[in-house]
Amino acid sequence: MMEKIDLPGNECETIPKILSHGAGKLVRTLTTVLACAGALVLFAMAIMSVTSIFGRVVFSKPIQGDYELAQVMVAAAVALFLPYCHMRRAHIFVDFFTAKFSSRVRHGLDALAGLLLALCAALLTVQLTHGMFDMREAGEQTMILGFPVWIAYIALVVSFAVLAITAAFLAWTDLSAARRPA
Amino acid sequence: MTGIQFGMLMFGFMLLLMALRVHIAIAMIITGIIGYATLAGWSPLLAHLKTNVYARYSNYELSVIPLYLLMGTFAARGGLSKSLFDVAAAFIGHWRGGLAMSAVGACAGFGAICGSSLATAATMGRVALPELRRYNYSPRLATGTLAAGGTLGILIPPSVPLVIYAMLAEQNIAKLYAAAIIPGILAAIGYMITIAIVTRLQPLAGPAGQRIGWAQRWRAVINVWPVAGIFFLVIGGIYLGWFTPTEAAAVGALLAGLTAFLRGGLRAKQFFECLLSTAESTAMIFFILLGADVLNSFLALSQMPMELSTWVQGLGVSPFLVMLTIIAVYIVLGCVMDSLSMLLLTIPILLPVVLGLDFWGLDTASKAIWFGVLALVVVEIGLIHPPVGMNIYIINSIAKDVPMIETVKGVLPFLASDAVRVLLLIIFPTISLWLVRQMG
């Protein structure tokens, strides 16, 4: 009854050499751990929603503030997925115009793209950290549960920091690939 | 410099970045940052960047997306794609080209519980391609059918691009789903007719399969009941007022997971594989959403969308000429870009243009819904038209022995069917709007 299924991005993969030892292994482990944590949060959110529906239908008692819990959980989960996706080089880019360039030129452009990604992620990390402190000082809370919003920001800050590190690391590997004679 | 000129300049800059392999999301963010800072200064920009990520990612309407993706991976794990193909093949597999039509039917069925085209193409490709090849279908027809059939994943609700359109256009997702259903079914029928025509012209391309007895047919039908059940809850539950779309998707994801578990396809290892695959595809989408958010805050500041809309109205050309131009723009963009990026880039600019023109005397809300379905269909065409249709790539990576050019040729008849459908949708808005009006 079962067939073997590999969805896109879930191919039976061989781990690139650069990601299987030293700093590369650290990046791979870190991003995977964050993604698993995020995915478990997402799964917990699904269970929470269903429990709340069940409570609403059967006992006319939904979980208090279930929508805002869902919002906080999904925001954290989605952010935690970002570094993993980049580690797998799955963030979308356009290959069309450069497909015919030599592999060294492509690696060079990829190094540049990775650097830009790292810079943007770093800028967002800094601004999100400011945002986190602002939220804490202002005492921002969700409407019903009074959940402090700055706590959700921690997941965002960590995610974008790891994204910046991952991007910088991959940009560096691309640069070394570009400098190696083909 | 007017808003249009500055907007166009920055747009050109962004497209240049994209052409040079900068990630689409990052090209949008950089363009947005530079444009925003130029128009409003750095400190409002930095203040905006403190809160916009959380604001975007905690949007309740968007939280449905990762759940749809999770549902799709679980459903594939549970072998539901195979059950769907088996049931279709049991009924029409003995027709000429019947197995290819079965693949289209199964894609439509899988599309009813999966919101993504790529996942539908990948899953159905793995299930149906070996069967089609076993019955000596021509590689061209087999791969073309599956690449085209994959698009039914987003044409038939649930649909991730429609969720995004609903957010951009501030329209009700339930109404958009209602509007998409009939065009989605038309798409499946159109593809089946295409297969019938192709196999009539070249009978060897799609030989008939075995005729199957009624006992086996009913057994196959029983195997697909989870699909029907999940679709009924996820889509039907929204209209019956039982759930919000997000809750419905949570129910669907857990049910799909439970089905996969009971069928023996989901143990701890596969469970984490499904979670990580969901993580990856979710991150792809939400990274672009973030980029589009930064870009669109700049576009809103520049007034470019409104100015463009006024300018187009001032031209005094026929609205239908404008619509055909818009579709041409989508086809060209579809040559190099994925469907979500296209929607996120174009809808904030083109929707005001469309709403500013008169089409068949439709009111604003109807126009927005009608255009949403149309935009969905044309960005979906981008998934299968050369040179870089993503579905073509995916199917081709599964059927490794088939040259890419064969798949591209195989898709061409289906593109003709798409073109006919786009024209029908433009000329008869009722196709999209009838069901919406029935809802009242």
Side-chain angles (χ1 to χ4, degrees):
Chain A
M1 176 165 286
M2 271 309 300
E3 76 265 24
K4 177 104 186 62
I5 297 148
D6 297 303
L7 289 171
N10 202 16
E11 322 287 41
C12 307
E13 75 212 66
T14 45
I15 298 159
K17 213 193 277 164
I18 196 79
L19 292 175
S20 60
H21 60 83
K25 191 177 178 189
L26 189 71
V27 163
R28 188 166 61 90
T29 314
L30 197 59
T31 52
T32 311
V33 167
L34 287 192
C36 282
L40 289 176
V41 170
L42 177 68
F43 194 69
M45 176 260 176
I47 293 178
M48 190 272 303
S49 289
V50 173
T51 316
S52 179
I53 296 166
F54 191 76
R56 190 172 70 206
V57 174
V58 180
F59 305 109
S60 317
K61 248 201 202 145
I63 293 176
Q64 277 289 310
D66 51 349
Y67 291 178
E68 53 181 57
L69 258 182
Q71 287 176 307
V72 172
M73 290 168 99
V74 168
V78 165
L80 288 167
F81 295 158
L82 294 173
Y84 175 77
C85 186
H86 184 56
M87 187 271 291
R88 310 236 333 147
R89 297 190 181 263
H91 285 307
I92 298 174
F93 66 94
V94 178
D95 187 35
F96 179 68
F97 299 101
T98 48
K100 295 235 160 62
F101 290 12
S102 78
S103 96
R104 288 182 68 177
V105 175
R106 273 183 288 136
H107 278 300
L109 288 171
D110 284 341
L112 200 62
L115 184 69
L116 289 174
L117 201 164
L119 288 175
C120 286
L123 173 67
L124 283 168
T125 310
V126 174
Q127 288 316 103
L128 281 166
T129 312
H130 286 307
M132 179 178 71
F133 285 118
D134 288 358
M135 289 285 164
R136 200 168 69 157
E137 267 164 46
E140 273 294 303
Q141 296 178 331
T142 60
M143 296 256 286
I144 298 170
L145 292 174
F147 181 83
V149 174
W150 71 269
I151 293 184
Y153 266 70
I154 298 176
L156 271 67
V157 171
V158 170
S159 302
F160 278 88
V162 175
L163 178 61
I165 294 168
T166 309
F169 175 75
L170 289 182
W172 174 73
T173 63
D174 282 332
L175 190 64
S176 353
R179 292 172 65 180
R180 245 191 324 267
Chain B
M1 219 188 306
T2 66
I4 295 188
Q5 286 167 335
F6 186 57
M8 287 294 174
L9 184 71
M10 293 307 291
F11 235 75
F13 171 68
M14 178 182 66
L15 293 179
L16 179 70
L17 285 180
M18 286 181 187
L20 294 174
R21 300 174 80 87
V22 172
H23 300 87
I24 286 185
I26 294 299
M28 289 174 173
I29 290 179
I30 292 175
T31 309
I33 284 179
I34 296 176
Y36 197 110
T38 312
L39 293 177
W42 282 96
S43 58
L45 170 75
L46 290 175
H48 180 64
L49 294 180
K50 284 182 191 176
T51 53
N52 74 323
V53 183
Y54 183 76
R56 173 51 72 224
Y57 285 2
S58 65
N59 180 317
Y60 188 71
E61 275 70 43
L62 292 180
S63 62
V64 72
I65 294 174
L67 294 171
Y68 282 161
L69 297 170
L70 190 62
M71 178 164 70
T73 48
F74 279 157
R77 264 292 159 210
L80 290 177
S81 31
K82 175 96 170 74
S83 306
L84 280 164
F85 180 70
D86 287 346
V87 78
F91 281 88
I92 59 173
H94 60 280
W95 295 357
R96 187 194 283 156
L99 285 175
M101 295 179 195
S102 307
V104 168
C107 284
F110 199 73
I113 53 169
C114 178
S116 134
S117 274
L118 303 185
T120 305
T123 311
M124 292 311 308
R126 287 198 163 75
V127 170
L129 269 179
E131 292 292 310
L132 293 175
R133 303 300 297 278
R134 199 153 64 87
Y135 283 92
N136 290 318
Y137 272 60
S138 77
R140 186 183 291 187
L141 177 63
T143 53
T145 300
L146 283 156
T151 63
L152 295 170
I154 55 169
L155 292 179
I156 293 182
S159 162
V160 170
L162 264 192
V163 171
I164 304 234
Y165 180 84
M167 174 200 77
L168 292 172
E170 296 173 353
Q171 291 297 317
N172 181 333
I173 185 64
K175 287 190 177 165
L176 278 162
Y177 279 167
I181 284 179
I182 296 176
I185 295 171
L186 270 185
I189 296 174
Y191 289 164
M192 289 190 190
I193 294 174
T194 308
I195 294 168
I197 295 172
V198 170
T199 50
R200 176 158 283 271
L201 296 175
Q202 310 164 320
L204 285 179
Q210 281 163 316
R211 183 182 284 278
I212 284 171
W214 279 99
Q216 243 181 306
R217 286 184 180 174
W218 289 123
R219 222 170 303 141
V221 169
I222 291 168
N223 262 333
V224 294
W225 75 265
V227 177
I230 291 170
F231 177 73
F232 173 74
L233 280 172
V234 171
I235 301 300
I238 302 175
Y239 295 105
L240 294 170
W242 293 354
F243 321 120
T244 66
T246 301
E247 289 174 329
V251 172
L254 291 191
L255 280 182
L258 189 68
T259 311
F261 176 76
L262 292 176
R263 290 186 165 197
L266 195 67
R267 295 294 174 259
K269 179 172 173 284
Q270 293 88 341
F271 177 70
F272 273 96
E273 275 171 18
C274 285
L275 288 188
L276 281 177
S277 142
T278 305
E280 185 172 318
S281 30
T282 304
M284 270 161 72
I285 295 173
F286 276 75
F287 202 40
I288 298 178
L289 276 170
L290 177 63
D293 183 72
V294 178
L295 180 70
N296 286 334
S297 17
F298 151 58
L299 284 181
L301 269 185
S302 78
Q303 305 278 329
M304 171 186 168
M306 290 331 289
E307 282 180 26
L308 188 68
S309 168
T310 322
W311 180 71
V312 172
Q313 280 176 51
L315 286 179
V317 293
S318 151
F320 294 95
L321 194 64
V322 177
M323 184 56 82
L324 288 180
T325 313
I326 289 177
I327 288 171
V329 168
Y330 275 116
I331 302 289
V332 171
L333 278 179
C335 290
V336 294
M337 224 179 261
D338 66 285
S339 48
L340 283 186
S341 309
M342 270 161 69
L343 282 180
L344 284 163
L345 277 181
T346 56
I347 295 300
I349 300 171
L350 295 182
L351 185 65
V353 172
V354 171
L355 294 183
L357 296 170
D358 177 49
F359 290 97
W360 313 108
L362 294 173
D363 61 275
T364 307
S366 303
K367 237 185 308 189
I369 288 175
W370 170 66
F371 182 60
V373 174
L374 208 52
L376 178 72
V377 173
V378 286
V379 298
E380 157 272 318
I381 294 176
L383 287 168
I384 54 170
H385 79 66
V388 284
M390 278 300 287
N391 280 12
I392 296 180
Y393 272 105
I394 288 189
I395 294 301
N396 212 265
S397 69
I398 299 170
K400 290 206 173 59
D401 58 321
V402 180
M404 184 76 84
I405 188 73
E406 283 295 299
T407 311
V408 171
K409 282 181 186 162
V411 156
L412 292 178
F414 296 98
L415 280 173
S417 143
D418 280 338
V420 172
R421 184 156 35 90
V422 167
L423 284 179
L424 286 176
L425 289 176
I426 296 179
I427 300 170
F428 304 105
T430 317
I431 300 173
S432 314
L433 295 173
W434 180 78
L435 203 55
V436 184
R437 290 193 184 122
Q438 297 307 305
M439 288 166 55

